[in-house]
Amino acid sequence: MTRTYLVTGSASGIGAATARALTDQGHRVIGADLHDADIEVDLTTHEGRETLVARARELSGGTLDAVIANAGLSSPSTATVAVNYFGALATLEGLRPLLAGSSAPRAVATASMASLFPVDDELLQACLAHDEPAALHRAQHLIDAGAGGQVYGTTKRALALWIRRNAASAEWAGASIPLNAVAPGIIRTPMTADLTATEEATKGLLEMVPMPLNGIADARVVADLLVFLTSEANSHLCGQVIFVDGGSDVVIRGDSTW
Ligand SMILES: NC(=O)c1ccc[n+]([C@@H]2O[C@H](COP(=O)([O-])OP(=O)(O)OC[C@H]3O[C@@H](n4cnc5c(N)ncnc54)[C@H](O)[C@@H]3O)[C@@H](O)[C@H]2O)c1
């Protein structure tokens, strides 16, 4: 059956690979991104988030079968907080009503294995309290203090926690919508191009993000998982943060999942 998908970050990397994989299967994809997309919006802004929902409603005719909240940034910047956490939530929550008309609605977000790194608790709490001005303020403080490296992982930890906290709720599980996340390791995309530009840089990166199983992955690897999580076949995964990371979660966390 042909399904209609909304994919954010569709112009590049994992989002583009996902859109391709879905259209190859005959599905319809409505892409959203800053540029080169059906819906061109800036998800760091309230206006952009509202436009996303309004245009998705128009283009889909009022029903989506799946939402893939994937757009993101990794720079130490306030925009990273605005798009990775608040933009992803606005995508998932704003588009949830459009999933109501689907016979097999699905939703997924792209988190990261970086959610395992030490986080800034004040930024994390501001995100989880849904206080965007406080979160942006704290992120700027971290950047000014030379601790901007914590911003990305903290936004991804917050996103993963939000998924865990909301997946079983009346709005998601109660409406028969599996809500899950993927947590990629290092993936070859424009986001990581500089980090993997030389052998030496790659070696340093893999020391931080160990990937004993097959090393750095192509975007298609994550795309295939996103396609499964948003397929009709996925009826019972609820609030899972699935690490597709060549083993970094296992190496870093070991037994601690239980
Ligand atoms: N590449 C990796 O190693 C890796 C690892 C873990 C998680 N991720 C996550 O995967 C997702 C996709 O990243 P990617 O590697 O494909 O990177 P990418 O840079 O190739 O693609 C990200 C896309 O998001 C879009 N985007 C950024 N800010 C936006 C905004 N304000 N509004 C709308 N769109 C915006 C960009 O324009 C771009 O097309 C991100 O959430 C990223 O954090 C990537």
Side-chain angles (χ1 to χ4, degrees):
M1 200 184 73
T2 299
R3 289 162 60 75
T4 302
Y5 289 73
L6 187 300
V7 179
T8 69
S10 61
S12 177
I14 293 168
T18 305
R20 250 192 324 273
L22 289 166
T23 49
D24 284 353
Q25 290 186 7
H27 298 300
R28 178 178 177 211
V29 174
I30 300 171
D33 206 306
L34 287 169
H35 50 81
D36 299 310
D38 303 299
I39 306 177
E40 295 189 351
V41 281
D42 181 351
L43 292 172
T44 63
T45 69
H46 292 290
E47 191 198 9
R49 296 166 191 165
E50 279 174 13
T51 304
L52 172 74
V53 175
R55 292 282 294 134
R57 187 176 290 117
E58 270 168 39
L59 291 174
S60 68
T63 296
L64 290 172
D65 294 295
V67 175
I68 301 179
N70 167 77
L73 292 171
S74 57
S75 54
S77 67
T78 55
T80 292
V81 177
V83 66
N84 288 12
Y85 184 76
F86 294 98
L89 260 61
T91 301
L92 293 167
E93 290 188 313
L95 297 175
R96 182 166 42 78
L98 302 189
L99 293 169
S102 171
S103 57
R106 308 283 183 258
V108 67
T110 305
S112 172
M113 70 67 60
S115 61
L116 299 177
F117 292 150
V119 298
D120 178 69
D121 199 51
E122 196 174 322
L123 175 56
L124 184 70
Q125 296 312 327
C127 288
L128 293 172
H130 213 82
D131 187 341
E132 189 165 2
L136 298 184
H137 186 264
R138 178 62 185 173
Q140 190 58 57
H141 173 81
L142 289 172
I143 295 159
D144 293 343
Q150 286 189 321
V151 169
Y152 178 70
T154 303
T155 64
K156 295 297 189 179
R157 173 89 64 95
L159 181 59
L161 286 173
W162 186 86
I163 297 278
R164 297 283 298 168
R165 291 176 182 189
N166 286 273
S169 68
E171 290 78 13
W172 294 97
S176 294
I177 310 171
L179 171 66
N180 296 283
V182 298
I186 306 161
I187 311 299
R188 260 182 227 97
T189 71
M191 183 177 279
T192 55
D194 286 350
L195 301 172
T196 57
T198 64
E199 232 173 80
E200 203 188 337
T202 306
K203 194 167 161 261
L205 189 60
L206 284 170
E207 274 164 20
M208 226 167 69
V209 183
M211 298 181 71
L213 178 65
N214 293 328
I216 296 176
D218 288 331
R220 182 62 193 245
V221 170
V222 183
D224 285 344
L225 181 56
L226 289 166
V227 169
F228 169 72
L229 289 171
T230 50
S231 68
E232 288 181 270
N234 174 28
S235 58
H236 279 75
L237 283 180
C238 179
Q240 297 304 300
V241 179
I242 303 181
F243 286 80
V244 50
D245 62 359
S248 53
D249 164 51
V250 170
V251 173
I252 292 169
R253 283 205 295 190
D255 289 350
S256 73
T257 307
W258 290 274

